[in-house]
Amino acid sequence: MYTHKNDVITRGKPLSETGKALILVHGRGATAQSILDLANHLPAQDFTLYAPQATNNSWYPYSFMAPEEQNQPALDSALERLDELVKSILDQGVKSEELYLGGFSQGACLTSEYATRNARKFGGLLLFTGGLIGQQLVADRYKGNFEGTPVLLTTGDPDPHVPVSRVEETAETMEKLGAVVTKKIYHGRPHTILQEELDLAGKILSSVDKG
């Protein structure tokens, strides 16, 4: 088992210039650099980009639906690293509604778990093929209020890693905490990100008026 170092790649203009941040969390076996390349396909030019790097390129060792103890202490360490990154951005004067989080696969699972345990008004959540973590969901650990945060939540049907049932549970849990969820299930789609998903994510990132 392992703990994760505080290892983050940053790209784009300084936060003092942009005033808004996008955190992207890579999947199992991938890298911070590879998930940052995803931003090339998104309207993210006016964001300061952050991508944390997992130790050994994996946030936790087993499936996100394995018994939680099998994924410890790596899972708690990963959640702590994400929390430290979020707090460091907010401490620089960025409002939470100008903070966006996204990820693919294992990174989407980690992002959804973190955000739902710490629900607040984020700018948006871009969860490409992911869902909340655990063999069964522990409802009372999800706290706070998303206050209308837009969430994109996707998977394939079937997907080799992320079942539709968990995506539906995740959408329901987030909606109970005040998120506005766009759930997309793509029949026969491989474990990847489609152009339509990028377009939907782009709409969230491009939504200037947050009310």
Side-chain angles (χ1 to χ4, degrees), residues 2-167:
Y2 43 83
T3 55
H4 298 282
K5 292 178 285 192
N6 193 359
D7 187 5
V8 180
I9 298 178
T10 307
R11 185 190 286 176
K13 297 173 186 172
L15 200 55
S16 57
E17 289 184 33
T18 64
K20 54 186 181 179
L22 171 59
I23 298 172
L24 292 170
V25 185
H26 69 77
R28 186 188 301 273
T31 64
Q33 192 63 57
S34 68
I35 195 74
L36 276 177
D37 290 342
L38 181 68
N40 297 333
H41 306 281
L42 295 167
Q45 297 79 10
D46 296 328
F47 289 79
T48 306
L49 305 176
Y50 297 84
Q53 174 64 52
T55 299
N56 301 326
N57 305 102
S58 182
W59 294 109
Y60 43 85
Y62 297 102
S63 163
F64 81 117
M65 295 186 68
E68 189 179 317
E69 59 271 17
Q70 292 183 10
N71 280 320
Q72 298 294 11
L75 174 58
D76 280 350
S77 177
L79 291 166
E80 285 169 18
R81 291 293 89 79
L82 199 47
D83 190 51
E84 287 168 5
L85 178 54
V86 166
K87 286 177 176 171
S88 73
I89 291 168
L90 297 178
D91 286 348
Q92 294 177 67
V94 173
K95 298 175 182 176
S96 66
E97 57 263 37
E98 298 295 348
L99 174 59
Y100 297 70
L101 296 96
F104 172 62
S105 193
Q106 192 186 56
C109 295
L110 183 66
T111 301
S112 61
E113 183 71 18
Y114 172 77
T116 312
R117 290 191 190 194
N118 301 277
R120 60 197 302 167
K121 188 172 178 60
F122 293 106
L125 303 177
L126 315 175
L127 307 173
F128 300 109
T129 309
L132 293 170
I133 296 173
Q135 191 171 27
Q136 281 90 33
L137 298 187
V138 183
D140 62 3
R141 74 170 33 147
Y142 302 119
K143 298 182 174 73
N145 190 333
F146 280 119
E147 298 179 45
T149 296
V151 177
L152 174 63
L153 185 61
T154 71
T155 196
D157 182 17
D159 183 87
H161 306 291
V162 181
V164 171
S165 58
R166 179 51 57 90
V167 169

